[in-house]
Amino acid sequence: MFRSRTLLRKLAPLGDRVLVKRAPKEVQTASGIYLPTDSTKDPNEGEIVAVGPGERDVTGTLHAPNLKEGDKVLLPDYGGIKIKVADEDDMYLFRESDILGKFD
């Protein structure tokens, strides 16, 4: 049986998966009005925290991912697996093909 400990752990995604930290929710408008956190939706932007080695095709060739750590990406509204790593904020695990785009 596994016991949860407060040790710092690092998660390395497998295959073509990427670990993404979503941008924080907007709680204040440009004019200074504060919004309740319940009414704001999750932003569609995030930052890549970790990247897997890539995906293998049927012949065994490894295809390296196009994304790297630190890239700012556009995320879909739904999808991804919510993960809690140590005391960090919630992070999401996506397949590279699920990422909609990359910001320059």
Side-chain angles (χ1 to χ4, degrees):
M1 183 169 186
F2 294 104
R3 293 179 184 228
S4 61
R5 295 182 182 182
T6 59
L7 299 175
L8 181 63
R9 297 186 295 174
K10 184 174 180 182
L11 179 67
L14 299 176
D16 68 334
R17 289 182 167 74
V18 293
L19 189 62
V20 178
K21 183 176 184 180
R22 283 191 185 262
K25 290 183 178 182
E26 294 284 332
V27 293
Q28 186 177 12
T29 63
S31 61
I33 298 172
Y34 285 96
L35 302 171
T37 56
D38 295 343
S39 68
T40 58
K41 66 177 204 168
D42 288 335
N44 289 356
E45 297 179 20
E47 182 179 351
I48 304 291
V49 176
V51 180
E55 189 173 21
R56 293 195 182 272
D57 61 10
V58 292
T59 62
T61 306
L62 182 66
H63 296 280
N66 296 325
L67 300 170
K68 60 184 183 299
E69 292 180 22
D71 284 346
K72 306 282 189 210
V73 294
L74 180 65
L75 303 170
D77 286 335
Y78 300 102
I81 300 169
K82 189 174 183 177
I83 296 175
K84 181 83 169 170
V85 178
D87 292 334
E88 299 273 332
D89 293 334
D90 290 335
M91 296 193 193
Y92 294 84
L93 198 61
F94 286 94
R95 287 193 175 273
E96 186 184 28
S97 59
D98 291 341
I99 304 292
L100 301 177
K102 179 171 111 173
F103 295 109
D104 290 333

